Amino acid sequence: MTTYQVTPHDTRTAPDTRPSAAAKPVRWAADAVAAMREGARLYLDYSAQSLWRVDRMIDEIRRDGAPYAAVENALRGFGAYAGEVIARQTGAEWWATGGDHWIRTPDGRLWDPFDEARRCFAGNGSLRLLCRDATGAGQ
């Protein structure tokens, strides 16, 4: 099934070729990019290098003592952003089941950037290292 985005003038644009599982994570990532640009003056460009800044931001939030419940949505956005970085660099696809989302890289491996964002907040994870492992950049 091909889906089209329809503008108010009812002209059709290119078909949306991304799987429907990508809809929410792509939106969460875009929201995180906008929030960081507007609130923290942090510019995220969907590059692997930008994940250094995201890891540092999560580290600062943790050091400030923010309770998890207060930053849960931000962490979700950061995880989605890391997943989008991986997807754009490797051609990976978002997969979803039961409300959970993962990235599936072309080699068939599944990655959970949301869990990694939570681990980063707990002090024992890194979205930058997740991306490095998922893209094979460290090999």
Side-chain angles (χ1 to χ4, degrees):
M1 177 176 161
T2 302
T3 60
Y4 292 91
Q5 296 174 338
V6 179
T7 66
H9 301 290
D10 198 30
T11 59
R12 293 178 185 251
T13 60
D16 181 5
T17 59
R18 299 203 60 186
S20 62
K24 286 183 180 180
V26 168
R27 185 180 69 237
W28 296 331
D31 289 348
V33 168
M36 290 299 98
R37 182 180 59 245
E38 294 167 12
R41 301 273 190 248
L42 181 67
Y43 296 93
L44 302 176
D45 61 2
Y46 293 93
S47 68
Q49 295 81 8
S50 69
L51 292 172
W52 281 91
R53 294 188 294 271
V54 174
D55 278 349
R56 283 197 311 264
M57 178 62 69
I58 294 172
D59 188 48
E60 287 178 28
I61 293 168
R62 183 182 69 253
R63 283 185 288 145
D64 286 346
Y68 176 78
V71 298
E72 185 174 6
N73 286 339
L75 293 174
R76 181 185 68 189
F78 290 143
Y81 176 77
E84 270 299 288
V85 170
I86 294 166
R88 292 174 183 206
Q89 291 204 0
T90 66
E93 293 183 340
W94 284 102
W95 284 53
T97 183
D100 293 327
H101 294 80
W102 302 276
I103 284 287
R104 183 174 184 263
T105 49
D107 61 10
R109 294 183 294 169
L110 289 173
W111 304 86
D112 187 344
F114 301 103
D115 185 55
E116 194 66 21
R118 289 187 292 270
R119 290 177 35 140
C120 196
F121 181 70
N124 59 358
S126 169
L127 293 172
R128 175 186 59 84
L129 294 178
L130 175 77
C131 181
R132 184 196 68 187
D133 292 346
T135 61
Q139 299 172 357

